């Protein structure tokens, strides 16, 4: 996020107290997932104080009703007089009759440790700030002080991007934010974590990169994870050419891998939550480092190369942006590419991994409904948003993460193939210089203008016309060939039915709405239909369906008997060729990787 940072000379505690909004949080009942919060607002106008709980959180685009976990609310003035509280809506408490000062107290419950919510127990206080602290309308500009009252018996300490103001474990630990936007964007991990640090130089300045690691694993696994983080930081820095000027000279990974946590990652200006429930061992370490790769790239792309539609962030409603295909999607493209460049993933693994996103976008009917910008507009309905009514988004929606990743790959390969000395790395540097470093928020049109300046108007017009404003799918067979990577059918000549099946209660049923255009969709099969037989053979499991379908060629007709409710029906399904594609290095099939292809691939995938 973009903030104006105010630097204060604190001449006395009284001066700060008069000009700041003060918070204190304690965890006496952590065993039952509760925290007690005190918020003090002073120097108020003679009017009703509107105290609110956020409905959204930085990095998330949907509504999240954090007020539901707030209770035991009270308010008093500077003399201890109990004040009247009314509720104009579910997210707000109006406090009247004060004397210019309000101390607002409440209890909050939290037991979901991810990048959006909060979790309190006897292992940690995992605090996403909007899910934890109220704010007062109209006081956004004021600096914030927060005092975390630590549990000495649990050996807790604090990790956060907030500026420390000193304090001892006995007195609590006090931190500072220049305004509400920065405060809300500053997640905090309080636990008996292990702190790793290393220094990274950029433009003559030294920055401290910190990893506050909270996990139950061994020292060896923690050390291995930390070495992976260092490699990722160095390779991502090489893409842009420099680190951001971190506001207080530090960047902090809040790394929490505990059984009760929920897998997630969430970017913030000078920190990130990277969270998982799997232990840091075996395959768990590479998986965790994938989240690290994604979230750290955000300290450039989205935090400083920032969409104008997210500036400033709105804590009272959903945040919609048409630029998420670039902000999230291009970041998603770099996630695995950086792992490959950092030596944490092999070239063949990277090449094979491309097929997942390419298949998803190529074969999704969603491209018939929305382009990349319009897919981005769907974020408030998809980004951890919850609803109980069914939707048809499996047919109409492609994640802007995946859609943007595919577009990012196409742009990188187009630049490398057509322009020779250009690449997506170079274009991201251009966006950094134009929009990130000066923190000038951008629009979709600004991205196109920057691409025109970097690679020429002809390429920019054609690329945006086809893949951003339009709904075309890039020719990946042509784009990948110069890199010595084949993009071919996964099962040429093999038939498919076009539905997901699951066995439940001794029956096999269709799981999920039929994909538009698939053989099953055309024949009228639908979600929750129970398959009885196919071409007269009883359906007993998924394999029994595949055994029949695999022996038939595309164009063959099969008779499917199924139940919908209590009705038994029959459908004639015309099988089609399986549309799934795979990516693989051409040498895996015995083809020769010539010098030109080897050089191009090296410039793309090798360490920088």
């Amino acid at each position: 996020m973009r903030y104006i940072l105010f630097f204060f000379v604190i001449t006395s505690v009284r001066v700060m107290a008069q000009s700041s909004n003060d918070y204190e949080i304690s965890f006496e009942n952590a065993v039952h997932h509760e925290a007690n919060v005190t918020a003090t607002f002073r120097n108020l106008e003679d009017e009703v104080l509107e105290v609110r709980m956020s409905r959204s959180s930085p990095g998330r685009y949907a509504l999240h009703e954090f007020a539901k976990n707030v209770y035991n609310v009270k308010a008093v003035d500077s003399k201890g007089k109990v004040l009247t509280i009314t509720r104009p809506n579910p997210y707000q408490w109006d406090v009247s009759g004060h004397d210019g000062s309000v101390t607002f107290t409440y209890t909050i419950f939290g037991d979901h440790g991810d990048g959006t919510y909060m979790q309190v127990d006897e292992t940690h206080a995992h605090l996403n700030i909007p899910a934890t602290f109220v704010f007062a309308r109209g006081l956004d500009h004021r600096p914030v002080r927060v005092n975390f009252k630590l549990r000495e018996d649990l050996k807790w300490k604090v990790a956060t991007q907030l500026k420390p103001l000193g304090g001892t474990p006995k007195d609590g630990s006090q931190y500072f934010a220049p305004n509400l936007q920065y405060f809300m964007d500053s997640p905090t991990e309080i636990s008996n974590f292990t702190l790793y640090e290393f220094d990274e130089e950029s433009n003559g300045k030294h920055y401290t990169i910190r990893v506050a690691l909270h996990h139950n694993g061994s020292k060896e696994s923690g050390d291995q994870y930390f070495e992976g983080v260092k490699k990722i930081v160095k390779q991502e820095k090489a893409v842009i050419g420099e680190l951001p000027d971190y506001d207080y000279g530090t960047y902090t990974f809040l790394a929490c891998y505990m059984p009760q946590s929920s897998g997630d990652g969430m970017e913030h200006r000078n920190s990130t939550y990277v969270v998982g429930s799997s232990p840091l061992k075996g395959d768990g370490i590479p998986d965790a480092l994938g989240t690290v790769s994604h979230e750290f790239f955000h300290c450039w792309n989205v935090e400083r190369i920032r969409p104008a539609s997210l500036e400033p962030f709105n804590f009272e409603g959903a945040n919609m942006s048409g630029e998420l295909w670039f902000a999230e999607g291009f970041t998603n493209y770099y996630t695995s590419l950086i792992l490959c460049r950092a030596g944490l993933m092999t070239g063949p693994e990277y090449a094979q991994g491309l097929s997942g996103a390419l298949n998803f976008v190529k074969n999704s009917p969603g491209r018939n409904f929305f382009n990349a910008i319009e897919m981005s507009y769907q974020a408030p309905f998809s980004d951890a948003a919850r609803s109980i009514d069914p939707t048809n988004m499996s047919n109409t929606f492609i994640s802007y993460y995946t859609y943007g990743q595919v577009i990012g790959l196409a742009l990188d390969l187009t630049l490398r193939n057509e322009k020779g000395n250009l690449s997506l790395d170079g274009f991201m540097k251009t966006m950094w210089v134009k929009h990130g470093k000066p923190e000038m928020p951008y629009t979709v049109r600004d991205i196109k203008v920057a691409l025109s300046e970097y690679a020429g108007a002809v390429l920019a017009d054609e690329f945006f016309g086809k893949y951003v404003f339009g709904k075309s799918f890039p020719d990946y067979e042509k784009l990948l060939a110069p890199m010595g990577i084949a993009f071919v059918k996964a099962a040429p000549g093999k038939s498919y039915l076009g539905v997901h099946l699951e066995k439940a209660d001794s029956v096999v049923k269709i799981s999920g709405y039929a994909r538009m255009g698939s053989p099953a969709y055309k024949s009228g099969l639908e979600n929750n239909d129970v398959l009885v037989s196919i071409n007269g053979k009883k359906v007993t499991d998924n394999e029994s369906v595949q055994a029949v379908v695999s022996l038939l060629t595309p164009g063959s007709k099969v008779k499917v008997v199924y139940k919908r409710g209590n009705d038994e029906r029959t459908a004639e399904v015309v099988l089609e060729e399986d549309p799934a594609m795979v990516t693989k290095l051409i040498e895996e099939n015995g083809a020769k990787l010539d010098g030109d292809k080897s050089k191009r691939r090296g410039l793309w995938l090798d360490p920088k």
Side-chain angles (χ1 to χ4, degrees):
M1 289 191 164
R2 180 172 177 257
Y3 308 99
I4 300 173
L5 294 179
F6 301 96
F7 295 92
F8 295 86
V9 177
I10 305 174
T11 57
S12 72
V13 174
R14 186 169 177 228
V15 169
M16 175 60 84
Q18 288 176 342
S19 59
S20 64
N21 297 329
D22 291 355
Y23 296 87
E24 181 177 280
I25 184 168
S26 60
F27 309 96
E28 296 88 350
N29 199 25
V31 66
H32 293 302
H33 315 293
E34 286 185 342
N36 294 310
V37 180
T38 299
T40 302
F41 308 102
R42 301 180 180 88
N43 293 337
L44 303 174
E45 299 292 333
D46 185 17
E47 57 188 28
V48 172
L49 180 69
E50 298 179 352
V51 179
R52 286 183 68 95
M53 202 70 185
S54 178
R55 302 186 68 201
S56 58
S57 181
R60 281 268 115 91
Y61 310 106
L63 290 177
H64 300 279
E65 306 296 6
F66 301 124
K68 65 183 177 294
N69 284 322
V70 175
Y71 46 92
N72 196 28
V73 176
K74 300 180 178 67
V76 298
D77 66 11
S78 64
K79 299 179 179 62
K81 173 189 171 184
V82 176
L83 301 174
T84 300
I85 298 174
T86 56
R87 298 293 299 274
N89 57 60
Y91 336 107
Q92 184 169 318
W93 298 260
D94 284 352
V95 184
S96 58
H98 58 77
D99 60 358
S101 177
V102 171
T103 297
F104 187 92
T105 61
Y106 59 96
T107 300
I108 188 161
F109 175 90
D111 192 25
H112 191 79
D114 67 354
T116 305
Y117 297 95
M118 62 170 287
Q119 183 172 62
V120 175
D121 57 38
E122 290 188 305
T123 72
H124 68 170
H126 173 112
L127 306 180
N128 184 42
I129 301 301
T132 309
F133 294 100
V134 296
F135 65 94
R137 267 183 166 171
L139 305 183
D140 300 22
H141 62 287
R142 288 188 177 186
V144 173
R145 290 192 316 177
V146 57
N147 185 13
F148 300 105
K149 302 288 284 185
L150 304 183
R151 291 280 298 268
E152 286 187 87
D153 57 321
L154 300 176
K155 300 179 180 179
W156 279 2
K157 46 189 179 284
V158 178
T160 181
Q161 71 176 27
L162 294 167
K163 181 179 174 61
L165 291 177
T168 66
K170 183 177 180 180
D171 299 326
S173 294
Q174 297 185 45
Y175 290 82
F176 165 82
N179 49 45
L180 180 70
Q181 286 278 331
Y182 193 95
F183 180 54
M184 287 295 200
D185 194 44
S186 301
T188 301
E189 175 70 16
I190 304 175
S191 64
N192 186 22
F193 54 77
T194 300
L195 183 64
Y196 294 86
E197 295 182 335
F198 69 98
D199 286 340
E200 191 69 25
E201 188 274 336
S202 179
N203 292 330
K205 294 184 178 181
H206 288 268
Y207 298 96
T208 300
I209 309 299
R210 307 183 297 194
V211 179
L213 179 58
H214 182 214
H215 74 132
N216 291 329
S218 65
K219 179 182 183 301
E220 290 74 20
S221 65
D223 292 348
Q224 182 182 346
Y225 175 84
F226 178 59
E227 289 303 314
V229 171
K230 288 199 290 186
K231 293 177 180 178
I232 289 167
V233 168
K234 292 180 184 296
Q235 286 302 313
E236 294 194 353
K237 174 188 170 186
V239 172
I240 304 299
E242 61 182 335
L243 291 175
D245 189 9
Y246 299 125
D247 296 319
Y248 301 117
T250 62
Y251 184 92
T252 307
F253 290 94
L254 305 172
C256 181
Y257 301 97
M258 297 293 287
Q260 73 271 32
S261 298
S262 301
D264 198 8
M266 188 54 63
E267 74 280 357
H268 299 276
R269 182 171 172 86
N270 304 302
S271 65
T272 179
Y273 251 134
V274 281
V275 187
S277 58
S278 299
L280 284 182
K281 63 180 181 180
D283 292 339
I285 295 178
D287 289 346
L289 290 173
T291 306
V292 168
S293 178
H294 182 96
E295 300 305 330
F296 187 65
F297 199 78
H298 273 316
C299 73
W300 294 278
N301 192 31
V302 92
E303 289 299 332
R304 291 166 175 86
I305 307 174
R306 188 158 182 80
S309 50
L310 298 178
E311 186 59 34
F313 198 82
N314 176 17
F315 297 107
E316 298 190 14
N319 287 261
M320 187 178 81
S321 171
E323 292 81 21
L324 297 184
W325 59 272
F326 180 83
E328 294 287 3
F330 276 39
T331 299
N332 217 41
Y333 168 65
Y334 273 103
T335 299
S336 294
L337 180 58
I338 292 298
L339 294 179
C340 185
R341 290 178 179 177
L344 301 170
M345 174 185 290
T346 67
E349 288 173 336
Y350 177 73
Q352 292 163 1
L354 293 173
S355 61
L358 296 180
N359 262 316
F360 186 75
V361 177
K362 180 180 185 297
N363 295 316
S364 173
R367 284 191 298 114
N368 297 321
F369 300 99
F370 303 117
N371 64 19
I373 299 166
E374 294 162 336
M375 287 298 178
S376 300
Y377 290 153
Q378 303 299 304
F381 307 127
S382 65
D383 184 48
R386 297 181 179 181
S387 58
I388 60 174
D389 61 316
T391 72
N392 201 24
M393 293 183 78
S394 61
N395 275 314
T396 62
F397 177 66
I398 303 171
S399 169
Y400 40 88
Y401 286 87
T402 312
Y403 208 147
Q405 175 185 346
V406 166
I407 293 172
L409 173 62
L411 182 55
D412 199 4
L413 296 178
T414 298
L415 291 170
R416 291 175 184 275
N417 294 339
E418 294 186 14
K419 298 294 183 177
N421 62 335
L422 301 185
S423 67
L424 191 61
D425 293 356
F427 177 60
M428 294 306 297
K429 291 177 185 177
T430 297
M431 286 294 293
W432 171 249
V433 170
K434 286 178 65 68
H435 293 281
K437 197 166 185 175
E439 302 203 35
M440 298 290 292
Y442 68 86
T443 65
V444 171
R445 295 289 177 179
D446 291 326
I447 306 174
K448 183 174 181 290
V449 168
L451 184 59
S452 296
E453 294 175 4
Y454 179 68
V458 173
L459 186 149
D461 288 345
E462 181 178 4
F463 193 88
F464 267 74
K466 286 183 177 179
Y467 310 125
V468 179
F469 302 133
K471 303 169 187 173
S472 299
F473 186 77
D475 184 351
Y476 276 101
E477 185 175 0
K478 179 180 177 182
L479 288 171
L480 288 166
M483 301 296 174
I485 298 176
F487 185 54
V488 295
K489 293 179 179 179
K494 299 293 184 180
S495 297
Y496 93 123
L497 193 59
V499 288
H500 295 287
L501 303 174
E502 67 174 26
K503 186 172 182 178
D505 299 327
S506 300
V507 298
V508 177
K509 65 178 182 178
I510 295 174
S511 174
Y513 295 108
R515 176 177 291 180
M516 291 179 180
S518 68
Y521 185 92
K522 292 175 182 176
S523 67
L525 293 173
E526 197 38 277
N527 186 35
N528 290 322
D529 286 346
V530 174
L531 302 191
V532 177
S533 66
I534 181 167
N535 272 2
K537 296 184 178 180
K538 186 177 179 181
V539 171
T540 57
D541 50 33
N542 294 3
E543 289 71 23
S544 62
V545 176
Q546 296 304 319
V548 175
V549 173
S550 64
L551 296 176
L552 299 172
T553 59
S556 300
K557 296 179 180 179
V558 295
K559 180 181 178 182
V560 177
V561 178
Y562 64 98
K563 285 186 176 180
R564 182 172 295 169
N566 294 322
D567 297 333
E568 186 168 283
R569 304 183 180 189
T570 300
E572 183 179 77
V573 182
V574 180
L575 300 178
E576 297 176 11
E577 186 177 41
D578 189 337
M581 306 287 288
V582 293
T583 48
K584 59 177 65 177
L585 302 180
I586 59 172
E587 55 266 38
E588 293 181 61
N589 290 336
K592 183 180 178 180
L593 182 68
D594 61 36
D596 183 60
K597 289 184 175 64
S598 178
K599 180 180 178 181
R600 286 174 179 269
R601 188 192 294 174
L603 289 172
W604 180 32
L605 303 182
D606 287 352
K608 307 304 176 193

